[in-house]
Amino acid sequence: MKKFYTIVLIILVLFVSKQVFPQKENSKGSISDEQQIDLSEGFSFISSRLIPEDPNMLVVMASVLNENLDFIRNSQGQTIKKIGPNWVNGIGDWVVTEGYLVKMFDSNSFIIEGDLIDPATPISLTTGFQFVSYFLETPMDAFEAFET
């Protein structure tokens, strides 16, 4: 009887986890997902646990390229900024191991869709300062994350 309850509990957990964290398998066999990134007024550091299908920053950030956005900057100081009527992409593509600094005039959000990144993916660190990505779905203490 105990074994029966264990199996029912496992099935229930699997069902609930599929409902809470829906994922779909794409044609390449990778697990696809989506992640909403909320941007508050002022400065936000962002990264994603997903590899976008089209990594062009203007495509990834398309829904927030409006009057609420001041700029997006990477660690090298390259930016996406509106010059005249056009958004100029000095960053290029979304790099999954990097983080980005975003300055907003008002709150907004966007959704990234793509393949999940292996949370054990190494991130190379360089001399100086650098914005890095965070791949996990749950928060983690910064001291624990950078322990190694």
Side-chain angles (χ1 to χ4, degrees):
M1 192 64 151
K2 185 176 178 184
K3 189 175 186 178
F4 172 76
Y5 285 119
T6 303
I7 292 171
V8 169
L9 182 60
I10 290 171
I11 291 170
L12 181 63
V13 167
L14 289 173
F15 175 75
V16 169
S17 69
K18 284 286 190 187
Q19 296 299 317
V20 175
F21 301 109
Q23 299 174 344
K24 55 188 180 266
E25 191 167 318
N26 66 22
S27 61
K28 296 181 274 183
S30 301
I31 300 295
S32 296
D33 203 352
E34 66 179 36
Q35 177 182 4
Q36 178 172 319
I37 297 181
D38 297 317
L39 302 166
S40 57
E41 180 182 345
F43 294 97
S44 298
F45 285 104
I46 64 168
S47 67
S48 178
R49 65 180 187 277
L50 302 174
I51 303 166
E53 189 172 310
D54 184 343
N56 181 307
M57 287 292 285
L58 295 179
V59 173
V60 174
M61 305 296 292
S63 64
V64 293
L65 297 178
N66 56 46
E67 66 280 350
N68 291 333
L69 176 64
D70 186 6
F71 66 83
I72 304 165
R73 179 176 292 145
N74 65 12
S75 296
Q76 293 77 40
Q78 299 162 321
T79 62
I80 292 177
K81 184 127 178 97
K82 192 169 191 176
I83 300 177
N86 301 315
W87 288 97
V88 177
N89 182 1
I91 295 174
D93 288 345
W94 181 278
V95 178
V96 297
T97 56
E98 288 188 22
Y100 298 93
L101 175 65
V102 180
K103 177 147 189 275
M104 300 294 292
F105 295 120
D106 200 3
S107 299
N108 210 329
S109 65
F110 67 100
I111 293 177
I112 292 181
E113 294 180 6
D115 295 336
L116 288 170
I117 299 169
D118 179 353
T121 300
I123 297 174
S124 299
L125 299 176
T126 59
T127 303
F129 82 96
Q130 153 180 12
F131 310 137
V132 296
S133 198
Y134 182 77
F135 300 139
L136 304 178
E137 292 185 37
T138 56
M140 175 185 260
D141 181 84
F143 288 113
E144 184 181 338
F146 286 100
E147 186 175 53
T148 60

